[in-house]
Amino acid sequence: MNAGHYKVIYDTDPGVDDAMALYFALAHPAIDLVGITTTFGNVTVEQATTNALYLTSIAGRSVPVTKGVATPQCKSPKSPPTHIHGADGLGNLPSRIAASNLLDPRSSAQFIVDKARAQPGAITLVAVGPLGNLSLALKLEPRLPQLLREVIVMGGTVIEPGNVSPVAEANIWNDPHAADHVFSAGWKLTMVGLDVTHQVRVPLSMVARIAGHHRHRATDTLLHAVEFYARFYTGLYAHVAHEPGCFAHDVLAFIYLVQPELFTLVEGAIRVSTEGLSQGQTMMNRRDFIDYPQAGWENDEPSTRACMQVQAEACKTLLEETLMGTWLSR
Ligand code: BDR
Ligand code: CA
């Protein structure tokens, strides 16, 4: 694969696993990160933006960063989950140095549209937070599905239980109306949801090895953040307590981009429940030969690919080898 083969806009709410995914993207030779678009989610959009600027600055990398939506489209905003990602989204860092990177003044949605129009068919959107920026970009430019190469979403679940309700995953639940718009838009869309992210646990010991290898502020920051995040997961799941670590949620979206052969997929229309007890549930039609009488499941609904199985050990090896590479400036 050629270096810089994938031109990517990374839509994100950093967030600990978002930070890990960002560093994977910066470290992987086939990924050319053309922009970072932020959203509320794990933290406020202001904090997400501060973190995106900070994480790129301390890694010595200059990538355009734009600020995106601050609230869900319709539902009332919820407080950020400070017990999972820390009040600052990075596990409550004890101190920070000044960030050198500056904010691009465009909105995230406008940035996505501008880039897609400038390079039709070239850009992949990797979205790992609530989907308000993508929904807004679709409203600004209805041809967006034809202008982008591909969209990869970390979010949702087909059969694995949810993580904010028995049926809903956090990114989708945070803005279910935006998510339903995105899943119905008709682009080449792949969902990397809890069905696979709960199969891949990143051990804290791996992140410690990476930090020990580089002895760099960026990987030290990641280690601090993952230590905090791992405490949450270790307290929640017995199998994670056995070997402290965290799920590989957001980074799996990038691993799918560069090595899709590690995943097994199913395909069908996905709709999102926007109200009530099932709010945020991603419902997939896996019987498209049935002509359902229920409106919303017509046979011309756009199809989404959902990852169902993943080769976990191969993903962990790729993650470690990539982050161990030469990608940090001194
Ligand atoms: C997703 O929710 C966020 O907390 C994580 O960053 C990830 O994107 C997992 O459900
Ligand atoms: Ca995220």
Side-chain angles (χ1 to χ4, degrees), residues 23-302:
Y23 282 171
F24 178 86
L26 290 177
H28 197 286
I31 298 174
D32 172 12
L33 207 55
V34 300
I36 301 173
T37 55
T38 65
T39 169
F40 79 94
N42 293 324
V43 285
T44 64
V45 72
E46 280 75 23
Q47 188 66 44
T49 309
T50 298
N51 290 349
L53 291 167
Y54 186 69
L55 291 163
T56 48
S57 295
I58 60 174
R61 304 287 287 269
S62 174
V63 182
V65 174
T66 60
K67 185 157 69 168
V69 296
T71 57
Q73 262 174 27
C74 301
K75 75 184 271 186
S76 330
K78 300 274 177 285
S79 303
T82 55
H83 61 299
I84 304 177
H85 294 267
D88 69 347
L90 297 176
N92 299 326
L93 292 173
S95 64
R96 296 189 184 214
I97 59 170
S100 51
N101 290 343
L102 298 174
L103 186 66
D104 182 306
R106 282 172 283 186
S107 74
S108 289
Q110 189 62 54
F111 180 86
I112 291 168
V113 169
D114 289 351
K115 288 285 175 192
R117 283 177 179 157
Q119 291 186 282
I123 307 277
T124 296
L125 202 49
V126 174
V128 302
L131 294 171
N133 290 331
L134 277 64
S135 174
L136 200 53
L138 277 167
K139 289 175 187 164
L140 292 175
E141 174 51 279
R143 290 180 308 128
L144 199 57
Q146 289 76 54
L147 293 174
L148 290 173
R149 173 182 167 147
E150 183 175 7
V151 179
I152 302 172
V153 167
M154 189 281 126
T157 180
V158 179
I159 56 175
E160 172 74 1
N163 59 4
V164 284
S165 87
V167 295
E169 182 281 330
N171 288 338
I172 306 301
W173 181 81
N174 268 323
D175 197 345
H177 296 83
D180 193 45
H181 184 202
V182 166
F183 280 108
S184 306
W187 32 27
K188 182 180 175 194
L189 175 60
T190 305
M191 181 175 108
V192 181
L194 300 181
D195 299 291
V196 284
T197 69
H198 278 180
Q199 294 178 35
V200 187
R201 295 191 301 278
V202 180
L204 186 56
S205 56
M206 179 204 288
V207 185
R209 278 197 299 280
I210 292 162
H213 171 74
H214 287 293
R215 299 191 178 282
H216 191 284
R217 183 181 293 274
T219 42
D220 287 348
T221 297
L222 182 65
L223 176 60
H224 175 94
V226 173
E227 276 168 348
F228 185 94
Y229 196 50
R231 256 176 255 142
F232 167 75
Y233 280 114
T234 305
L236 200 61
Y237 295 103
H239 64 298
V240 180
H242 180 65
E243 185 181 23
C246 61
F247 292 124
H249 297 301
D250 290 348
V251 75
L252 270 203
F254 280 113
I255 292 181
Y256 174 77
L257 171 72
V258 294
Q259 290 206 213
E261 69 279 5
L262 298 179
F263 297 78
T264 306
L265 309 172
V266 291
E267 187 159 356
I270 291 183
R271 298 295 310 269
V272 178
S273 168
T274 52
E275 309 293 337
L277 265 185
S278 61
Q279 184 180 102
Q281 180 175 13
T282 40
M283 302 169 286
M284 182 178 225
N285 180 7
R286 288 182 285 161
R287 297 273 158 86
D288 66 355
F289 52 89
I290 299 179
D291 206 0
Y292 290 119
Q294 170 64 49
W297 294 107
E298 291 77 12
N299 285 333
D300 58 355
E301 274 294 314

